[in-house]
Amino acid sequence: MPEYVTAFAPGRVNLIGEHTDYNEGLALPFAIDAGVEVRAGATGDQRITAFAVDLTEHDSFLLGEEAPSPGGWRGFVRGVSAELVTAGLPVAGASLEIRGSVPRGAGLSSSAALEVALCLALLALSDTDVVPPWPLARICSRVENEWVGAQTGLLDQLASLCGRENAALRIDFHSGVITPVALELGEWRLVTLDSGARHENAQSGYNERRSECAQACAALGIATLRELEPAMLDALEAPLDARARHVFEENARVEAAVEALARGDLAELGVLLDRSHASLRDLYAVSTPAVEATVALLLGAGAAGARVIGGGFGGHVLGLLPPGVEGPPGALEVRPGPGARVLDG
Ligand code: GLA
């Protein structure tokens, strides 16, 4: 068994396909360069100690005695260790050092990066064979659902685990098929711009949207919104009809984006980003005034399209800049990078 291991897991940007993952729909995310690094050392006993370097905060607990979860980043560490054990995977005592380069709570999936890096580090320390992406993503998502209280889907964890350089991932959450899609931008650039507002009400708003989708399915007698047909929309009351319409049309926009990328038609990709944003604002109601102002800034600076990314209710906005367009101050370029990995000791 190794004495030390280091694991890195990236955050993600979702190019298009928002709020589709928990509806067994389609999404097109890519992993970014920023992420979370976890260095783990074997302690030889049953204790996990953790140090969040950026926050200068500590935690310490015994394996099997993770609960209660004290909230914040500690809930993720405790949740990951408990859920790995529940899944029948070996976890040994470890001292963990956690460093992050992805902004927290900004819609770039700092939490998924943390969960995935913790999983990989703890598993590598126990010399465990690589666990495939879907089961590992499900373990991480149980951490979000059961330990952190966010009813999130599998988008972020799969993007972090499966990221590829120069490619986005077309993820079909119904069939489970993940297909790399070349993201050849040429002189175009993708940037994110912080709306400045952290999504404090994001968790409750997100959980509410998820429950509205479940209500829509129950009303229609279907298992998931992937089975929705446009004719069914009339049978739904507001706002469930709007939520369901967003999901249906967003799935179609993912397919259209894959086709636009295959043709190298980046102007069309920009149009699709704008349509996705309009739908997230008007039908799914996850935008905020700060997000709208940020979208306007990007478009005003010449972006060919801009949209809120992640769960919404604040966070970062994605913009697609044509060749020669600088973008507003504070815009950070994002490029598709490799997925989560174990680095040398
Ligand atoms: C958050 C969740 C994901 C996904 C997106 C919206 O990032 O963690 O599972 O639902 O919101 O697309």
Side-chain angles (χ1 to χ4, degrees), residues 27 50 85 131 169 206 318 342:
V85 172
V131 179
L169 305 166
Y206 183 97
L318 177 68
V342 176

Side-chain angles (χ1 to χ4, degrees), residues 85-119:
V85 172
T86 303
L89 293 161
V91 179
S95 72
L96 307 170
E97 236 176 64
I98 303 166
R99 288 183 177 76
S101 56
V102 61
R104 285 183 295 279
L108 296 171
S109 286
S110 53
S111 50
L114 174 57
E115 293 148 21
V116 170
L118 283 166
C119 282

Side-chain angles (χ1 to χ4, degrees), residues 160-337:
S160 181
L161 282 161
C162 303
R164 295 270 190 110
E165 228 156 336
N166 301 320
L169 305 166
R170 178 191 180 279
I171 306 181
D172 184 330
F173 291 90
H174 179 68
S175 68
V177 175
I178 302 180
T179 318
V181 172
L183 193 49
E184 279 155 15
L185 294 171
E187 302 282 293
W188 293 62
R189 288 182 307 138
L190 285 162
V191 295
T192 62
L193 185 59
D194 192 351
S195 70
R198 293 289 171 259
H199 46 348
E200 275 119 35
N201 63 340
Q203 195 155 306
S204 54
Y206 183 97
N207 293 349
E208 186 184 62
R209 291 296 168 277
R210 190 158 180 169
S211 126
E212 286 168 344
C213 291
Q215 289 168 47
C217 289
L220 295 171
I222 54 178
T224 75
L225 286 183
R226 190 68 181 271
E227 296 168 31
L228 183 89
E229 284 166 27
M232 299 174 178
L233 287 169
D234 289 341
L236 288 173
E237 286 176 10
L240 303 188
D241 56 346
R243 310 292 188 250
R245 181 183 293 280
H246 163 77
V247 173
F248 181 82
E249 293 177 354
E250 187 76 352
N251 285 335
R253 278 188 288 270
V254 171
E255 296 294 36
V258 170
E259 283 161 25
L261 284 172
R263 292 194 307 272
D265 189 349
L266 293 168
E268 174 64 12
L269 180 65
V271 171
L272 292 165
L273 295 186
D274 280 343
R275 288 194 189 139
S276 171
H277 182 73
S279 179
L280 287 161
R281 180 191 59 220
D282 302 335
L283 299 179
Y284 220 68
V286 294
S287 190
T288 63
V291 164
E292 289 310 306
T294 310
V295 167
L297 257 180
L298 280 160
L299 295 177
R307 69 175 204 84
V308 63
I309 43 173
F313 302 98
H316 280 217
V317 170
L318 177 68
L320 177 62
L321 304 182
V325 170
E326 255 314 297
L332 294 175
E333 184 168 6
V334 280
R335 282 186 217 168

Side-chain angles (χ1 to χ4, degrees), residues 12 14 17-22 107 109 144 152-157 206 310-312:
R12 65 98 189 88
N14 192 14
E18 220 65 272
H19 289 280
T20 48
D21 62 344
Y22 53 85
S109 286
E144 298 267 355
T152 50
L154 300 175
L155 169 76
D156 310 337
Q157 293 82 6
Y206 183 97

